[in-house]
Amino acid sequence: MRFKRSSILPGFWPSFAFALLYLSLLVLIPLSSVALTTASEGWSLTWRIITAPQVLASLRLSFGASLAAALINSVFGFLVAWVLARYQFPGKRLVDALVDLPFALPTAVAGITLAALYSETGWIGSVLARAGIRVAYTPLGVLVALTFIGLPFVVRSVQPVLEDIEQEAEEAAASLGAGRGQTFRLVLFPLARPALLTGFTLAFARGLGEYGSVVFISGNIPLRTEITPLLIITRLEQYDYAGAAAIALVMLAASLVLLLAINLLQWRTRRVMEAPGL
Amino acid sequence: MNPPPATGPSSSKAPSRRELLGLGLTFSLGCRKSAAPRVSFLNASYDPTREFYQEFNAAFARHWRRLHGVDVIVKQSHGGSGKQARAVIDGLPADVVTLALAYDIEAIAERGLVGPGWQRRLPFDSCPYTSTIVFLVRKGNPKRIRDWEDLIRPGVSVITPNPKTSGGARWNYLAAWGHALQKHSGDEGAARSFVSQLYRNVPVLDSGARGSTTTFVQPGIGDVLLSWESEAFQAIAELGADRIEMVAPSSSILTEPPVAVVDRVAERRGTAEVAAAYLEYLYSDEGQRIAARHYYRPRNPQAASEAPVRFPQLQLFRVGELFGDWQKAHQAHFAAGGTFDQIYQRGT
């Protein structure tokens, strides 16, 4: 097998080289320096740091809440994208603009606002508190913050795809006797699925790295509501660079594995989609 | 919708080339007029000192100009104390640092940027002004909080930042520990159990002091906020005495925020002399009065009359008296596995 298939477009090598250089400068070199800083400390100490109960608890929370938030956003973000792509209604422009708000808002502002809303004295929090549900300063609060910041990633990934689906596809399905549900399940959803997966991945990755908004609503109680980025800051605050790098490395490795797995899944769904005879 | 006119009002907003030229001329003339040589340096400080140093910098600039005919421009950078120290270690070219605790300047000194013995260069261990840790409670003090012992009562909720991420909050922790230690005549076990009980009443550990104040004021969480006295006065002045009030406990810690010249940066930039004079000026009558105006306790008792408030009388203890020094205090309480970690790891 050859390294590249011949293409009618010229300029493969310059653009490939540039892409590689760009990725190295921006991503690979900083990341390898994290690994090197960790290695300077010796692996046994690193292992002790990353298996401390406090770190494990934070990893569970960070990955669990990010995953859950990305799943919630996949369902409801898809719904929002569907509504925006397929229906005309008054105020649609406004709703469309609102979706981007979590992108634009400084994360600390988002965090403080959410904490104020969901604390026991806030508008939403006081209602929920009567039902015995505490949101702010619990793991649930982390989930709320991550859901908030992740929403635009799903909507903005899925929306253009839904908008591009041509009506003919639906008409063809209908004329072949498919019901509405069948059309959605067999025609529309499979077309949007890769984009949905992309949106899910982006929302998930963003949630893992999020710091600014979460620390205001999580309460940062050790072993209960500490997210992993906070523990990294904690280590830095004590001038423990190697310890911070060790925790960062775990996060990096875990994220890399998960992102690779999702990309693999996406690659496979795409291949199935493109397979002849389907 | 009407299309906007192609030319007209919208294009007249942009300055014409001639106007720009004129502006440039005024600028260059303006610069030439002040022929006095100028020197500029950077003061890396922690968050709540912004207003204080703004006023002090102007005063020092006047002083230096009178003395040497040189214009001084002091640039300020503010952030969490530890974050600022890390920035200096990582290469922020700050000529002087004015931080919340000696531990952070010590970290800079360990890497050779500040000379050893920095704390002996200026009077009072290089801490030109002080403060202490007090309580902020809601108007009318509904939970009747008078002293540290009230903070461990069931049903009292205490707001204080995480001492692991906030330098300022380490003072809070040591204040509680020191009070209990003195109360129980030096019994470490009693102090430990007191502080554990206190932190069990803390529902939120914000990452910084500003975050804690926001939590206490904005969503209105908690019955009492542990705060620097200087920031408590500031908060009351900003929010109004009709919402919160201050309670001074019977004893507390003397918080001593230190200052130092970052020798390596100052030598490289040729600012060593002016930077040292800048810090010395903090001890002058004028410097002390400005500190008092911004609610810091001045070292010079006469300057205290300048403060817009009366500083409450309470028994103050120093870090050195009870904890040895900051390195020891940090190792025992805030390092990984220290007493703070133990509070939460005892499985509750």
Side-chain angles (χ1 to χ4, degrees):
Chain A
M1 201 170 115
R2 283 183 55 196
F3 182 57
K4 94 179 178 61
R5 263 185 288 174
S6 58
S7 155
I8 50 163
L9 284 175
F12 168 76
W13 284 111
S15 50
F16 178 71
F18 178 76
L20 211 60
L21 178 76
Y22 193 71
L23 274 177
S24 306
L25 281 178
L26 278 175
V27 183
L28 288 179
I29 292 176
L31 291 193
S32 43
S33 90
V34 168
L36 279 178
T37 316
T38 315
S40 72
E41 199 70 355
W43 288 111
S44 68
L45 186 67
T46 304
W47 183 249
R48 243 199 356 260
I49 289 170
I50 61 183
T51 52
Q54 205 178 357
V55 176
L56 291 180
S58 82
L59 286 169
R60 267 196 298 275
L61 176 65
S62 270
F63 279 92
S66 303
L67 214 59
L71 282 173
I72 293 172
N73 275 330
S74 300
V75 175
F76 293 99
F78 187 89
L79 210 68
V80 172
W82 178 266
V83 168
L84 285 175
R86 312 222 9 138
Y87 302 106
Q88 291 301 325
F89 54 92
K92 179 174 163 176
R93 287 253 175 101
L94 187 73
V95 176
D96 206 21
L98 276 181
V99 169
D100 284 332
L101 205 62
F103 265 149
L105 213 59
T107 50
V109 175
I112 291 172
T113 313
L114 288 174
L117 272 181
Y118 284 96
S119 75
E120 279 167 50
T121 52
W123 287 357
I124 305 177
S126 57
V127 178
L128 289 175
R130 252 173 267 150
I133 304 170
R134 286 186 59 224
V135 180
Y137 317 122
T138 68
L140 202 57
V142 179
L143 182 66
V144 167
L146 294 183
T147 309
F148 175 80
I149 55 147
L151 177 73
F153 291 93
V154 174
V155 178
R156 291 296 178 241
S157 303
V158 175
Q159 192 183 356
V161 176
L162 289 180
E163 276 166 355
D164 279 353
I165 296 177
E166 281 165 21
Q167 226 175 347
E168 283 81 352
E170 284 170 73
E171 286 172 0
S175 69
L176 290 171
R180 284 189 165 202
Q182 269 179 315
T183 309
F184 177 79
R185 206 155 36 82
L186 298 173
V187 179
L188 298 177
F189 185 71
L191 284 170
R193 196 163 48 201
L196 187 63
L197 214 52
T198 304
F200 171 83
T201 314
L202 290 173
F204 172 64
R206 172 69 201 270
L208 277 181
E210 179 62 17
Y211 175 77
S213 62
V214 178
V215 291
F216 287 99
I217 196 171
S218 65
N220 309 324
I221 302 294
L223 294 168
R224 276 182 41 220
T225 58
E226 277 182 328
I227 53 168
T228 311
L230 180 83
L231 286 189
I232 296 173
I233 302 272
T234 302
R235 292 276 171 173
L236 286 178
E237 209 61 43
Q238 296 168 55
Y239 308 100
D240 180 6
Y241 290 78
I247 303 175
L249 195 67
V250 180
M251 241 187 146
L252 207 67
S255 320
L256 201 67
V257 169
L258 274 167
L259 293 180
L260 266 179
I262 295 170
N263 272 346
L264 212 66
L265 191 71
Q266 193 159 20
W267 183 67
R268 273 189 43 195
T269 51
R270 226 175 246 151
R271 240 187 13 174
V272 172
M273 290 277 300
E274 282 163 8
L278 205 113
Chain B
M1 270 222 264
N2 293 326
T7 55
S10 64
S11 67
S12 74
K13 263 182 201 160
S16 72
R17 186 175 289 182
R18 192 179 296 166
E19 276 171 324
L20 278 178
L21 197 68
L23 207 66
L25 270 176
T26 343
F27 262 121
S28 52
L29 283 178
C31 290
R32 202 161 303 156
K33 214 163 51 183
S34 70
R38 50 171 59 186
V39 56
S40 78
F41 62 92
L42 176 64
N43 174 5
S45 193
Y46 60 111
D47 264 327
T49 59
R50 189 183 310 265
E51 290 79 16
F52 162 54
Y53 274 109
Q54 253 160 24
E55 194 180 340
F56 176 75
N57 291 345
F60 177 73
R62 277 195 303 276
H63 164 75
W64 197 250
R65 200 188 157 102
R66 220 168 29 234
L67 219 62
H68 300 280
V70 175
D71 279 333
V72 186
I73 297 158
V74 188
K75 285 174 282 187
Q76 293 170 253
S77 154
H78 295 271
S81 185
K83 203 181 280 171
Q84 293 292 72
R86 271 201 316 282
V88 172
I89 289 169
D90 291 340
L92 176 76
D95 307 81
V96 300
V97 282
T98 53
L99 298 178
L101 62 168
Y103 180 73
D104 287 329
I105 299 189
E106 202 57 48
I108 303 173
E110 260 172 41
R111 284 150 183 90
L113 290 142
V114 174
W118 61 273
Q119 215 160 3
R120 289 191 301 273
R121 284 191 213 161
L122 289 164
F124 298 106
D125 291 333
S126 292
C127 303
Y129 42 82
T130 67
S131 192
T132 183
I133 303 298
V134 297
F135 310 153
L136 271 178
V137 297
R138 310 217 171 268
K139 179 70 194 164
N141 197 358
K143 292 269 168 115
R144 297 172 171 284
I145 288 151
R146 299 270 167 253
D147 208 346
W148 289 100
E149 280 69 30
D150 296 319
L151 304 188
I152 61 169
R153 284 202 319 246
V156 170
S157 137
V158 183
I159 305 295
T160 177
N162 191 331
K164 290 233 172 190
T165 48
S166 160
R170 282 177 216 160
W171 289 106
N172 300 1
Y173 188 94
L174 294 183
W177 189 284
H179 172 84
L181 199 63
Q182 288 192 324
K183 192 108 187 168
H184 298 96
S185 40
D187 181 354
E188 290 275 341
R192 181 192 305 261
S193 99
F194 176 80
V195 173
S196 306
Q197 280 173 286
L198 196 160
Y199 275 83
R200 244 164 242 146
N201 277 353
V202 177
V204 188
L205 288 165
D206 280 294
S207 57
R210 280 279 151 108
S212 277
T213 311
T214 309
T215 300
F216 184 70
V217 172
Q218 246 264 341
I221 298 288
D223 303 306
V224 52
L225 172 73
L226 302 189
S227 164
W228 281 49
E229 180 189 61
S230 51
E231 288 168 56
F233 277 127
Q234 224 173 341
I236 293 170
E238 275 163 30
L239 297 163
D242 53 333
R243 290 182 61 193
I244 46 178
E245 54 188 70
M246 196 172 108
V247 172
S250 61
S251 80
S252 190
I253 200 161
L254 182 73
T255 55
E256 298 177 280
V259 300
V261 173
V262 184
D263 298 307
R264 199 180 286 170
V265 175
E267 276 158 25
R268 195 182 66 221
R269 301 190 59 240
T271 52
E273 189 201 355
V274 65
Y278 175 76
L279 294 185
E280 270 161 37
Y281 200 64
L282 285 167
Y283 294 86
S284 71
D285 279 347
E286 188 175 24
Q288 292 283 293
R289 280 203 304 271
I290 296 172
R293 271 209 286 284
H294 290 270
Y295 311 111
Y296 286 100
R297 293 180 178 221
R299 292 294 191 179
N300 174 357
Q302 266 143 33
S305 63
E306 187 81 10
V309 290
R310 295 267 316 268
F311 295 113
Q313 297 279 328
L314 61 162
Q315 192 209 336
L316 294 170
F317 50 84
R318 302 183 59 205
V319 168
E321 289 170 44
L322 296 185
F323 303 96
D325 57 37
W326 263 106
Q327 289 297 333
K328 286 190 193 124
H330 186 88
Q331 271 311 314
H333 299 288
F334 309 121
T339 61
F340 180 73
D341 279 352
Q342 289 165 19
I343 291 177
Y344 289 94
Q345 274 161 12
R346 235 172 253 159
T348 35

